Amino acid sequence: MESFIFTVLAVFIFISLLFSIFYSVRSRQMKEPVKKGIIGGKLNISMGAMLVFISAVQLLNSNESTLRIILGAIFLLLGLFNLFAGLRNYSFYRNKEQQHTQS
């Protein structure tokens, strides 16, 4: 059962890594600031999810060492911060885009 959980987490880490790479490349290609902000928000969300999944692997590992718990907690905090910042930026720029199209 434990190996199944770690396999699922590894798949989620890999998927969020692919999204992070995809949005990073797209963000660098965008010229319009509003669309770049939307893509940047999605990038932060995918990076935050990846860090949360990495922290879950660290915290759920059976040999609980102090270093592993500290690293898991740091990754969890960074991941949650990235998720929050990404959601905030995404909603801000999405509203800005909708206001621009209505004008």
Coordinates of all heavy atoms in Angstrom, one line a residue:
M1 N 0.8 -1.2 0.0 CA 0.0 0.0 0.0 C 0.9 1.3 0.0 O 0.6 2.2 -0.7 CB -0.9 0.0 1.2 CG -1.8 1.1 1.3 SD -3.0 1.1 0.0 CE -4.0 2.5 0.4
E2 N 2.0 1.2 0.8 CA 2.8 2.4 0.9 C 3.5 2.7 -0.5 O 3.6 3.8 -0.9 CB 3.9 2.1 1.9 CG 4.7 3.4 2.2 CD 5.6 3.1 3.4 OE1 5.1 2.8 4.5 OE2 6.9 3.2 3.2
S3 N 3.9 1.6 -1.2 CA 4.5 1.8 -2.5 C 3.5 2.4 -3.5 O 3.9 3.2 -4.4 CB 5.1 0.5 -3.0 OG 4.1 -0.4 -3.3
F4 N 2.3 2.0 -3.4 CA 1.2 2.6 -4.3 C 1.1 4.1 -4.0 O 1.0 4.9 -5.0 CB -0.1 1.9 -4.0 CG -1.2 2.5 -4.8 CD1 -1.3 2.3 -6.2 CD2 -2.2 3.2 -4.1 CE1 -2.4 2.9 -6.9 CE2 -3.2 3.8 -4.9 CZ -3.3 3.6 -6.2
I5 N 1.1 4.5 -2.8 CA 1.0 5.9 -2.4 C 2.1 6.7 -3.0 O 2.0 7.8 -3.6 CB 0.8 6.1 -0.9 CG1 -0.5 5.6 -0.4 CG2 1.0 7.6 -0.5 CD1 -0.6 5.5 1.1
F6 N 3.4 6.2 -2.8 CA 4.5 6.9 -3.4 C 4.6 6.9 -4.9 O 5.0 7.8 -5.5 CB 5.8 6.2 -2.8 CG 6.0 6.6 -1.4 CD1 6.2 5.6 -0.4 CD2 6.1 7.9 -0.9 CE1 6.4 5.8 0.9 CE2 6.3 8.2 0.4 CZ 6.4 7.2 1.3
T7 N 4.0 5.8 -5.5 CA 3.9 5.8 -7.0 C 2.9 6.9 -7.5 O 3.2 7.6 -8.4 CB 3.5 4.4 -7.5 OG1 4.4 3.4 -7.0 CG2 3.5 4.4 -9.0
V8 N 1.8 7.0 -6.8 CA 0.8 8.0 -7.2 C 1.4 9.4 -7.0 O 1.3 10.3 -7.8 CB -0.5 7.8 -6.4 CG1 -1.4 9.0 -6.5 CG2 -1.2 6.5 -6.8
L9 N 2.1 9.6 -5.9 CA 2.7 10.9 -5.6 C 3.8 11.2 -6.6 O 3.9 12.3 -7.1 CB 3.3 11.0 -4.2 CG 2.3 11.1 -3.1 CD1 3.0 11.0 -1.7 CD2 1.6 12.4 -3.1
A10 N 4.6 10.2 -7.1 CA 5.6 10.4 -8.1 C 4.9 10.8 -9.4 O 5.5 11.7 -10.1 CB 6.4 9.1 -8.3
V11 N 3.8 10.2 -9.7 CA 3.1 10.6 -11.0 C 2.6 12.0 -10.9 O 2.8 12.8 -11.8 CB 1.9 9.6 -11.2 CG1 1.0 10.1 -12.3 CG2 2.5 8.2 -11.6
F12 N 2.0 12.4 -9.7 CA 1.6 13.8 -9.6 C 2.7 14.8 -9.6 O 2.6 15.9 -10.2 CB 0.8 13.9 -8.3 CG -0.6 13.4 -8.3 CD1 -1.1 12.9 -7.1 CD2 -1.3 13.3 -9.4 CE1 -2.4 12.3 -7.1 CE2 -2.6 12.8 -9.5 CZ -3.1 12.3 -8.3
I13 N 3.9 14.4 -9.1 CA 5.1 15.3 -9.1 C 5.5 15.4 -10.6 O 5.8 16.5 -11.0 CB 6.2 14.7 -8.3 CG1 5.9 14.8 -6.8 CG2 7.5 15.4 -8.6 CD1 6.8 14.1 -5.9
F14 N 5.5 14.3 -11.3 CA 5.9 14.4 -12.7 C 5.0 15.2 -13.5 O 5.4 16.1 -14.4 CB 6.1 13.0 -13.3 CG 6.6 13.0 -14.7 CD1 7.9 13.3 -15.0 CD2 5.7 12.6 -15.7 CE1 8.4 13.3 -16.3 CE2 6.2 12.6 -17.0 CZ 7.5 12.9 -17.3
I15 N 3.7 15.1 -13.3 CA 2.7 15.8 -14.1 C 2.8 17.3 -13.8 O 2.8 18.2 -14.7 CB 1.3 15.3 -13.8 CG1 1.1 13.9 -14.4 CG2 0.2 16.3 -14.3 CD1 -0.2 13.2 -14.0
S16 N 2.9 17.7 -12.5 CA 3.1 19.1 -12.1 C 4.4 19.6 -12.6 O 4.5 20.8 -13.0 CB 2.9 19.3 -10.6 OG 3.9 18.5 -9.9
L17 N 5.4 18.8 -12.7 CA 6.7 19.3 -13.3 C 6.5 19.6 -14.8 O 7.0 20.6 -15.2 CB 7.8 18.2 -13.1 CG 9.1 18.4 -13.8 CD1 9.8 19.6 -13.2 CD2 10.0 17.2 -13.8
L18 N 5.8 18.8 -15.5 CA 5.5 19.0 -16.9 C 4.7 20.3 -17.1 O 5.1 21.1 -18.0 CB 4.8 17.9 -17.5 CG 5.6 16.6 -17.7 CD1 4.7 15.5 -18.3 CD2 6.8 16.8 -18.6
F19 N 3.7 20.5 -16.2 CA 3.0 21.8 -16.3 C 3.8 23.0 -16.0 O 3.7 24.0 -16.6 CB 1.8 21.7 -15.4 CG 0.6 21.1 -16.0 CD1 0.1 19.9 -15.4 CD2 -0.1 21.7 -17.0 CE1 -1.1 19.3 -16.0 CE2 -1.2 21.1 -17.6 CZ -1.7 19.9 -17.0
S20 N 4.7 22.8 -15.0 CA 5.6 23.9 -14.7 C 6.5 24.3 -15.8 O 6.7 25.5 -16.1 CB 6.5 23.6 -13.4 OG 5.7 23.4 -12.3
I21 N 7.1 23.3 -16.5 CA 8.0 23.6 -17.6 C 7.2 24.2 -18.8 O 7.6 25.2 -19.4 CB 8.6 22.3 -18.1 CG1 9.6 21.8 -17.0 CG2 9.3 22.4 -19.4 CD1 10.2 20.4 -17.3
F22 N 6.0 23.7 -19.0 CA 5.1 24.2 -20.1 C 4.8 25.7 -19.9 O 4.9 26.5 -20.7 CB 3.9 23.4 -20.2 CG 2.9 23.9 -21.2 CD1 3.1 23.8 -22.5 CD2 1.7 24.5 -20.7 CE1 2.1 24.3 -23.4 CE2 0.8 25.0 -21.6 CZ 1.0 24.9 -23.0
Y23 N 4.3 26.0 -18.6 CA 3.9 27.4 -18.3 C 5.2 28.3 -18.3 O 5.0 29.5 -18.6 CB 3.1 27.4 -17.1 CG 1.7 26.9 -17.2 CD1 1.2 26.0 -16.3 CD2 0.9 27.3 -18.3 CE1 -0.1 25.4 -16.5 CE2 -0.4 26.7 -18.4 CZ -0.8 25.8 -17.5 OH -2.1 25.3 -17.7
S24 N 6.3 27.8 -17.9 CA 7.5 28.6 -17.8 C 7.9 29.0 -19.2 O 8.2 30.2 -19.5 CB 8.6 27.8 -17.2 OG 9.8 28.6 -17.2
V25 N 7.9 28.1 -20.2 CA 8.2 28.4 -21.6 C 7.2 29.4 -22.1 O 7.6 30.3 -22.8 CB 8.3 27.1 -22.4 CG1 8.4 27.4 -23.9 CG2 9.5 26.3 -21.9
R26 N 5.9 29.1 -21.9 CA 4.9 30.0 -22.4 C 5.0 31.4 -21.8 O 4.7 32.4 -22.5 CB 3.5 29.4 -22.2 CG 3.1 28.3 -23.1 CD 1.7 28.0 -23.2 NE 0.9 29.1 -23.6 CZ -0.4 29.2 -23.4 NH1 -1.0 28.3 -22.7 NH2 -1.1 30.3 -23.8
S27 N 5.3 31.5 -20.6 CA 5.4 32.8 -19.9 C 6.5 33.6 -20.5 O 6.4 34.8 -20.7 CB 5.6 32.6 -18.4 OG 5.9 33.8 -17.8
R28 N 7.6 33.0 -20.8 CA 8.7 33.7 -21.4 C 8.4 34.1 -22.9 O 9.0 35.1 -23.4 CB 10.0 32.8 -21.4 CG 10.5 32.6 -20.0 CD 11.7 31.7 -20.0 NE 11.9 31.0 -18.8 CZ 12.1 31.5 -17.6 NH1 12.1 32.8 -17.4 NH2 12.3 30.7 -16.5
Q29 N 7.5 33.5 -23.5 CA 7.2 33.8 -24.9 C 6.1 34.9 -25.0 O 6.0 35.5 -26.1 CB 6.7 32.6 -25.7 CG 7.7 31.5 -25.9 CD 7.1 30.2 -26.5 OE1 5.9 30.1 -26.5 NE2 8.0 29.3 -26.9
M30 N 5.3 35.1 -24.0 CA 4.2 36.1 -24.0 C 4.8 37.5 -24.0 O 5.7 37.8 -23.3 CB 3.3 35.9 -22.8 CG 2.4 34.8 -22.8 SD 1.2 35.0 -24.0 CE 0.6 33.3 -24.2
K31 N 4.2 38.3 -24.8 CA 4.5 39.7 -24.9 C 3.5 40.6 -24.1 O 3.9 41.6 -23.6 CB 4.6 40.2 -26.4 CG 5.5 39.4 -27.2 CD 7.0 39.7 -26.8 CE 7.9 39.0 -27.8 NZ 9.1 38.5 -27.1
E32 N 2.3 40.2 -24.1 CA 1.2 41.0 -23.4 C 1.3 40.8 -21.9 O 1.4 39.7 -21.5 CB -0.2 40.6 -23.9 CG -0.4 40.8 -25.4 CD -1.7 40.3 -25.8 OE1 -2.7 40.4 -25.0 OE2 -1.8 39.7 -26.9
P33 N 1.4 41.9 -21.1 CA 1.6 41.8 -19.7 C 0.4 41.0 -19.0 O 0.7 40.3 -18.1 CB 1.6 43.2 -19.2 CG 1.8 44.1 -20.4 CD 1.4 43.3 -21.6
V34 N -0.8 41.2 -19.4 CA -1.9 40.6 -18.8 C -1.9 39.1 -19.0 O -2.0 38.3 -18.1 CB -3.3 41.2 -19.3 CG1 -4.5 40.4 -18.7 CG2 -3.4 42.7 -18.9
K35 N -1.7 38.7 -20.3 CA -1.6 37.2 -20.5 C -0.4 36.6 -19.9 O -0.4 35.5 -19.4 CB -1.6 37.0 -22.0 CG -2.9 37.3 -22.7 CD -3.0 36.8 -24.1 CE -4.3 37.3 -24.7 NZ -5.0 36.3 -25.4
K36 N 0.7 37.4 -19.8 CA 1.9 36.9 -19.1 C 1.6 36.7 -17.6 O 2.1 35.7 -17.0 CB 3.1 37.9 -19.3 CG 4.4 37.3 -18.8 CD 5.5 38.3 -19.3 CE 6.8 37.6 -18.9 NZ 7.9 38.2 -19.6
G37 N 0.8 37.6 -17.0 CA 0.4 37.4 -15.6 C -0.4 36.2 -15.4 O -0.3 35.5 -14.4
I38 N -1.3 36.0 -16.3 CA -2.2 34.8 -16.2 C -1.4 33.5 -16.3 O -1.5 32.6 -15.4 CB -3.3 34.8 -17.3 CG1 -4.3 35.9 -17.0 CG2 -4.0 33.4 -17.4 CD1 -5.3 36.1 -18.1
I39 N -0.5 33.4 -17.2 CA 0.4 32.3 -17.4 C 1.3 32.1 -16.2 O 1.6 31.0 -15.7 CB 1.2 32.3 -18.7 CG1 0.2 32.4 -19.9 CG2 2.2 31.2 -18.8 CD1 -0.6 31.1 -20.1
G40 N 1.8 33.3 -15.7 CA 2.6 33.2 -14.5 C 1.9 32.7 -13.3 O 2.5 32.0 -12.4
G41 N 0.6 33.1 -13.1 CA -0.2 32.5 -12.1 C -0.3 31.0 -12.2 O -0.2 30.3 -11.2
K42 N -0.6 30.6 -13.4 CA -0.7 29.1 -13.6 C 0.7 28.4 -13.3 O 0.7 27.3 -12.7 CB -1.1 28.8 -15.0 CG -2.5 29.2 -15.3 CD -2.9 28.9 -16.7 CE -4.3 29.2 -17.1 NZ -4.6 28.9 -18.5
L43 N 1.8 29.1 -13.6 CA 3.1 28.5 -13.3 C 3.3 28.4 -11.8 O 3.7 27.4 -11.3 CB 4.2 29.4 -13.9 CG 5.6 29.2 -13.5 CD1 6.0 27.8 -14.0 CD2 6.5 30.2 -14.1
N44 N 2.9 29.5 -11.0 CA 3.0 29.4 -9.6 C 2.1 28.3 -9.0 O 2.5 27.6 -8.0 CB 2.6 30.7 -9.0 CG 3.8 31.7 -9.0 OD1 4.9 31.4 -9.3 ND2 3.5 32.9 -8.7
I45 N 0.9 28.1 -9.5 CA 0.0 27.1 -9.0 C 0.7 25.7 -9.3 O 0.7 24.9 -8.4 CB -1.3 27.2 -9.7 CG1 -2.1 28.5 -9.2 CG2 -2.2 26.0 -9.4 CD1 -3.3 28.8 -10.0
S46 N 1.2 25.5 -10.5 CA 1.8 24.1 -10.7 C 3.0 23.9 -9.9 O 3.3 22.8 -9.5 CB 2.0 24.0 -12.2 OG 2.9 25.0 -12.7
M47 N 3.9 24.9 -9.7 CA 5.0 24.8 -8.9 C 4.7 24.5 -7.4 O 5.3 23.7 -6.8 CB 6.0 26.0 -9.0 CG 6.7 26.1 -10.3 SD 7.8 27.5 -10.5 CE 8.8 27.3 -9.1
G48 N 3.6 25.2 -7.0 CA 3.2 25.0 -5.6 C 2.7 23.6 -5.4 O 2.9 23.0 -4.4
A49 N 1.9 23.1 -6.4 CA 1.4 21.7 -6.3 C 2.6 20.7 -6.3 O 2.6 19.8 -5.5 CB 0.5 21.4 -7.4
M50 N 3.6 21.0 -7.1 CA 4.7 20.1 -7.1 C 5.4 20.1 -5.8 O 5.8 19.0 -5.3 CB 5.7 20.5 -8.2 CG 6.9 19.6 -8.4 SD 8.0 20.1 -9.7 CE 8.4 21.7 -9.3
L51 N 5.6 21.3 -5.2 CA 6.3 21.3 -3.9 C 5.5 20.7 -2.8 O 6.0 20.0 -1.9 CB 6.6 22.8 -3.5 CG 7.7 23.4 -4.3 CD1 7.8 24.9 -4.0 CD2 9.1 22.8 -3.9
V52 N 4.1 20.8 -2.8 CA 3.3 20.1 -1.9 C 3.4 18.6 -2.0 O 3.5 17.9 -1.0 CB 1.8 20.6 -2.0 CG1 0.9 19.7 -1.2 CG2 1.7 22.0 -1.5
F53 N 3.4 18.1 -3.2 CA 3.6 16.7 -3.5 C 4.9 16.2 -3.0 O 5.0 15.1 -2.4 CB 3.4 16.3 -4.9 CG 1.9 16.5 -5.4 CD1 1.7 17.1 -6.6 CD2 0.9 16.2 -4.6 CE1 0.4 17.3 -7.1 CE2 -0.4 16.4 -5.1 CZ -0.7 16.9 -6.3
I54 N 6.0 16.9 -3.2 CA 7.3 16.6 -2.8 C 7.3 16.5 -1.2 O 7.9 15.6 -0.6 CB 8.4 17.5 -3.3 CG1 8.6 17.3 -4.8 CG2 9.7 17.3 -2.6 CD1 9.4 18.3 -5.5
S55 N 6.7 17.5 -0.6 CA 6.7 17.5 0.9 C 5.9 16.3 1.4 O 6.2 15.8 2.4 CB 6.1 18.8 1.4 OG 4.7 18.8 1.2
A56 N 4.8 15.9 0.7 CA 4.1 14.7 1.1 C 5.0 13.5 1.1 O 4.9 12.6 2.0 CB 2.8 14.5 0.2
V57 N 5.8 13.4 0.1 CA 6.7 12.2 0.0 C 7.7 12.3 1.2 O 7.9 11.2 1.8 CB 7.5 12.2 -1.3 CG1 8.7 11.2 -1.3 CG2 6.6 11.9 -2.5
Q58 N 8.2 13.4 1.5 CA 9.1 13.6 2.6 C 8.4 13.3 4.0 O 9.0 12.6 4.8 CB 9.7 15.0 2.6 CG 10.6 15.3 1.5 CD 11.8 14.3 1.3 OE1 12.5 14.1 2.3 NE2 12.0 13.9 0.1
L59 N 7.2 13.8 4.1 CA 6.6 13.6 5.4 C 6.0 12.2 5.6 O 5.8 11.8 6.8 CB 5.5 14.7 5.6 CG 6.0 16.1 5.7 CD1 4.9 17.1 5.7 CD2 6.9 16.3 6.9
L60 N 5.6 11.5 4.5 CA 5.0 10.2 4.6 C 6.0 9.1 4.6 O 5.6 7.9 4.8 CB 4.0 10.0 3.5 CG 2.7 10.9 3.6 CD1 1.9 10.7 2.3 CD2 2.0 10.7 4.8
N61 N 7.3 9.4 4.4 CA 8.3 8.3 4.4 C 8.4 7.7 5.8 O 8.3 8.3 6.8 CB 9.6 8.9 4.0 CG 10.5 7.9 3.4 OD1 10.2 6.7 3.5 ND2 11.6 8.3 2.8
S62 N 8.6 6.4 5.8 CA 8.5 5.6 7.0 C 9.6 5.9 8.0 O 9.5 5.8 9.2 CB 8.4 4.1 6.7 OG 9.5 3.7 6.0
N63 N 10.8 6.1 7.4 CA 12.0 6.4 8.3 C 12.0 7.9 8.6 O 12.5 8.7 7.9 CB 13.3 5.9 7.8 CG 13.6 6.5 6.4 OD1 12.8 7.2 5.8 ND2 14.8 6.3 6.0
E64 N 11.4 8.3 9.7 CA 11.2 9.7 10.1 C 12.4 10.2 10.7 O 12.7 10.1 11.9 CB 10.0 9.8 11.0 CG 8.7 9.4 10.4 CD 7.5 9.4 11.3 OE1 7.8 9.7 12.5 OE2 6.4 9.1 10.9
S65 N 13.3 10.9 10.0 CA 14.4 11.6 10.5 C 14.1 13.0 10.7 O 13.2 13.6 10.0 CB 15.6 11.4 9.6 OG 15.5 12.1 8.4
T66 N 14.8 13.7 11.5 CA 14.5 15.1 11.8 C 14.8 15.9 10.5 O 14.0 16.8 10.2 CB 15.4 15.6 12.9 OG1 15.3 14.8 14.0 CG2 15.1 17.0 13.3
L67 N 15.8 15.7 9.8 CA 16.1 16.4 8.6 C 15.0 16.2 7.5 O 14.6 17.2 6.9 CB 17.4 16.0 8.0 CG 17.9 16.6 6.7 CD1 18.1 18.1 6.9 CD2 19.2 16.0 6.2
R68 N 14.5 15.0 7.4 CA 13.4 14.7 6.4 C 12.1 15.5 6.8 O 11.5 16.1 6.0 CB 13.1 13.2 6.4 CG 12.2 12.8 5.3 CD 12.0 11.3 5.2 NE 13.3 10.7 4.9 CZ 13.7 10.5 3.6 NH1 12.9 10.8 2.6 NH2 14.8 9.9 3.3
I69 N 11.8 15.6 8.1 CA 10.6 16.3 8.5 C 10.8 17.8 8.3 O 9.9 18.5 7.9 CB 10.3 16.0 10.0 CG1 9.9 14.5 10.1 CG2 9.3 16.9 10.6 CD1 9.8 14.0 11.6
I70 N 12.0 18.3 8.6 CA 12.3 19.8 8.4 C 12.2 20.1 6.9 O 11.5 21.1 6.5 CB 13.6 20.1 9.0 CG1 13.6 20.1 10.5 CG2 14.1 21.5 8.5 CD1 14.9 20.2 11.2
L71 N 12.8 19.3 6.1 CA 12.7 19.5 4.6 C 11.3 19.4 4.1 O 10.8 20.2 3.3 CB 13.6 18.5 3.8 CG 15.1 18.8 3.9 CD1 15.8 17.7 3.2 CD2 15.4 20.2 3.2
G72 N 10.5 18.5 4.6 CA 9.1 18.3 4.2 C 8.3 19.5 4.6 O 7.5 20.0 3.9
A73 N 8.6 20.0 5.8 CA 7.8 21.2 6.3 C 8.2 22.5 5.5 O 7.3 23.3 5.2 CB 8.1 21.5 7.8
I74 N 9.5 22.6 5.1 CA 9.9 23.8 4.3 C 9.3 23.7 2.9 O 8.7 24.7 2.4 CB 11.4 23.8 4.2 CG1 12.0 24.2 5.6 CG2 11.9 24.8 3.1 CD1 13.5 24.1 5.7
F75 N 9.3 22.5 2.3 CA 8.7 22.3 1.0 C 7.2 22.6 1.1 O 6.6 23.2 0.2 CB 8.9 21.0 0.4 CG 10.3 20.8 -0.1 CD1 10.8 19.5 -0.3 CD2 11.1 21.8 -0.4 CE1 12.1 19.3 -0.8 CE2 12.4 21.7 -0.9 CZ 12.9 20.4 -1.1
L76 N 6.5 22.2 2.2 CA 5.1 22.4 2.3 C 4.8 23.9 2.4 O 3.9 24.3 1.8 CB 4.6 21.6 3.5 CG 3.1 21.7 3.8 CD1 2.3 21.1 2.7 CD2 2.7 21.1 5.1
L77 N 5.5 24.6 3.2 CA 5.3 26.0 3.4 C 5.5 26.8 2.0 O 4.7 27.6 1.6 CB 6.2 26.6 4.4 CG 5.8 26.2 5.9 CD1 6.9 26.7 6.9 CD2 4.5 26.7 6.2
L78 N 6.6 26.4 1.3 CA 6.9 27.1 0.1 C 5.8 26.7 -1.0 O 5.4 27.6 -1.8 CB 8.3 26.6 -0.5 CG 9.5 27.2 0.2 CD1 10.8 26.6 -0.3 CD2 9.5 28.7 0.0
G79 N 5.4 25.5 -1.0 CA 4.3 25.1 -1.9 C 3.0 25.8 -1.6 O 2.4 26.2 -2.6
L80 N 2.6 25.9 -0.4 CA 1.4 26.6 0.0 C 1.5 28.0 -0.4 O 0.5 28.6 -0.9 CB 1.0 26.4 1.4 CG 0.6 24.9 1.8 CD1 0.4 24.8 3.3 CD2 -0.6 24.5 1.1
F81 N 2.6 28.6 -0.2 CA 2.8 30.0 -0.5 C 2.7 30.2 -2.0 O 2.0 31.2 -2.5 CB 4.2 30.6 0.0 CG 4.4 32.0 -0.5 CD1 3.8 33.0 0.2 CD2 5.3 32.2 -1.5 CE1 4.0 34.3 -0.2 CE2 5.5 33.5 -1.9 CZ 4.9 34.6 -1.3
N82 N 3.3 29.3 -2.8 CA 3.2 29.4 -4.3 C 1.8 29.2 -4.7 O 1.4 29.9 -5.7 CB 4.2 28.4 -4.9 CG 5.5 29.0 -5.3 OD1 5.7 30.2 -5.4 ND2 6.5 28.1 -5.4
L83 N 1.1 28.3 -4.1 CA -0.3 28.0 -4.5 C -1.1 29.3 -4.2 O -1.9 29.7 -5.1 CB -0.9 26.9 -3.7 CG -0.6 25.5 -4.3 CD1 -1.1 24.4 -3.3 CD2 -1.3 25.3 -5.6
F84 N -1.0 29.9 -3.1 CA -1.7 31.1 -2.7 C -1.4 32.2 -3.7 O -2.3 32.9 -4.2 CB -1.4 31.5 -1.3 CG -2.0 32.8 -0.9 CD1 -3.4 32.9 -0.7 CD2 -1.2 33.9 -0.7 CE1 -3.9 34.1 -0.3 CE2 -1.8 35.2 -0.4 CZ -3.1 35.3 -0.2
A85 N -0.1 32.5 -3.9 CA 0.3 33.6 -4.8 C -0.1 33.3 -6.2 O -0.6 34.3 -6.9 CB 1.9 33.7 -4.7
G86 N -0.1 32.1 -6.7 CA -0.5 31.8 -8.0 C -2.0 32.0 -8.2 O -2.5 32.5 -9.2
L87 N -2.8 31.5 -7.2 CA -4.3 31.7 -7.3 C -4.6 33.2 -7.2 O -5.5 33.7 -8.0 CB -5.0 31.0 -6.1 CG -5.0 29.5 -6.3 CD1 -5.5 28.9 -5.0 CD2 -5.8 29.1 -7.4
R88 N -3.9 34.0 -6.4 CA -4.2 35.4 -6.3 C -3.8 36.1 -7.6 O -4.6 36.9 -8.1 CB -3.3 36.0 -5.1 CG -3.6 37.5 -4.9 CD -2.6 38.0 -3.9 NE -1.3 37.7 -4.4 CZ -0.2 38.1 -3.8 NH1 -0.2 38.7 -2.7 NH2 1.0 37.8 -4.3
N89 N -2.6 35.8 -8.2 CA -2.2 36.4 -9.4 C -3.1 36.0 -10.6 O -3.5 36.9 -11.4 CB -0.8 36.1 -9.8 CG 0.2 36.7 -8.8 OD1 -0.1 37.7 -8.2 ND2 1.4 36.2 -8.8
Y90 N -3.5 34.8 -10.6 CA -4.3 34.3 -11.7 C -5.7 35.0 -11.7 O -6.2 35.5 -12.7 CB -4.6 32.8 -11.6 CG -5.5 32.2 -12.6 CD1 -5.0 32.1 -14.0 CD2 -6.8 31.9 -12.3 CE1 -5.9 31.6 -14.9 CE2 -7.6 31.4 -13.3 CZ -7.2 31.2 -14.6 OH -8.0 30.7 -15.6
S91 N -6.3 35.1 -10.5 CA -7.6 35.8 -10.4 C -7.5 37.3 -10.7 O -8.3 37.9 -11.3 CB -8.3 35.6 -9.0 OG -7.5 36.2 -8.0
F92 N -6.4 37.9 -10.2 CA -6.2 39.4 -10.5 C -6.1 39.6 -12.0 O -6.8 40.5 -12.5 CB -4.9 39.8 -9.8 CG -4.6 41.3 -10.1 CD1 -5.3 42.3 -9.5 CD2 -3.6 41.6 -11.0 CE1 -4.9 43.6 -9.8 CE2 -3.2 42.9 -11.3 CZ -3.9 43.9 -10.7
Y93 N -5.2 38.9 -12.7 CA -5.0 39.1 -14.1 C -6.2 38.6 -14.9 O -6.5 39.2 -16.0 CB -3.7 38.5 -14.6 CG -2.5 39.3 -14.2 CD1 -1.6 38.8 -13.2 CD2 -2.2 40.5 -14.8 CE1 -0.5 39.5 -12.8 CE2 -1.1 41.2 -14.4 CZ -0.3 40.7 -13.4 OH 0.8 41.5 -13.0
R94 N -6.9 37.6 -14.5 CA -8.1 37.2 -15.2 C -9.2 38.2 -15.1 O -9.8 38.5 -16.1 CB -8.6 35.8 -14.6 CG -9.9 35.3 -15.3 CD -9.7 35.0 -16.7 NE -9.1 33.7 -16.9 CZ -8.7 33.2 -18.0 NH1 -8.8 34.0 -19.1 NH2 -8.3 32.0 -18.1
N95 N -9.4 38.9 -14.0 CA -10.3 40.0 -13.8 C -9.9 41.2 -14.7 O -10.7 41.8 -15.3 CB -10.5 40.4 -12.4 CG -11.2 39.4 -11.6 OD1 -12.0 38.6 -12.1 ND2 -11.0 39.4 -10.3
K96 N -8.6 41.4 -14.7 CA -8.1 42.5 -15.5 C -8.3 42.3 -17.0 O -8.7 43.2 -17.8 CB -6.6 42.7 -15.3 CG -6.1 44.0 -15.6 CD -4.7 44.2 -15.0 CE -4.3 45.6 -15.0 NZ -3.1 45.9 -14.4
E97 N -8.2 41.0 -17.4 CA -8.4 40.6 -18.8 C -9.9 40.8 -19.2 O -10.3 41.3 -20.2 CB -8.0 39.2 -19.1 CG -8.1 38.8 -20.5 CD -7.8 37.3 -20.7 OE1 -8.3 36.5 -20.0 OE2 -7.0 37.1 -21.7
Q98 N -10.8 40.4 -18.3 CA -12.2 40.5 -18.5 C -12.7 42.0 -18.6 O -13.5 42.3 -19.4 CB -13.0 39.8 -17.4 CG -12.9 38.2 -17.6 CD -13.6 37.5 -16.4 OE1 -14.0 38.1 -15.4 NE2 -13.7 36.2 -16.5
Q99 N -12.1 42.8 -17.7 CA -12.4 44.2 -17.8 C -11.9 44.9 -19.1 O -12.6 45.7 -19.6 CB -11.7 45.0 -16.6 CG -12.4 44.6 -15.3 CD -11.6 45.2 -14.1 OE1 -10.6 45.9 -14.3 NE2 -12.1 45.1 -12.9
H100 N -10.8 44.4 -19.6 CA -10.2 44.9 -20.8 C -11.1 44.5 -22.0 O -11.2 45.3 -22.9 CB -8.8 44.4 -21.0 CG -8.1 45.0 -22.2 ND1 -7.9 46.3 -22.4 CD2 -7.6 44.3 -23.3 CE1 -7.3 46.4 -23.6 NE2 -7.1 45.2 -24.1
T101 N -11.6 43.3 -22.0 CA -12.4 42.9 -23.1 C -13.8 43.5 -23.1 O -14.4 43.7 -24.1 CB -12.6 41.3 -23.1 OG1 -13.1 40.9 -21.9 CG2 -11.2 40.7 -23.4
Q102 N -14.3 43.9 -21.9 CA -15.6 44.5 -21.8 C -15.5 46.0 -22.2 O -16.6 46.6 -22.6 CB -16.2 44.4 -20.4 CG -16.5 43.0 -20.0 CD -17.0 42.9 -18.6 OE1 -16.9 43.9 -17.8 NE2 -17.4 41.8 -18.2
S103 N -14.4 46.6 -22.2 CA -14.3 48.0 -22.5 C -14.3 48.3 -24.0 O -14.0 47.6 -24.8 CB -12.9 48.6 -22.0 OG -12.9 48.4 -20.6

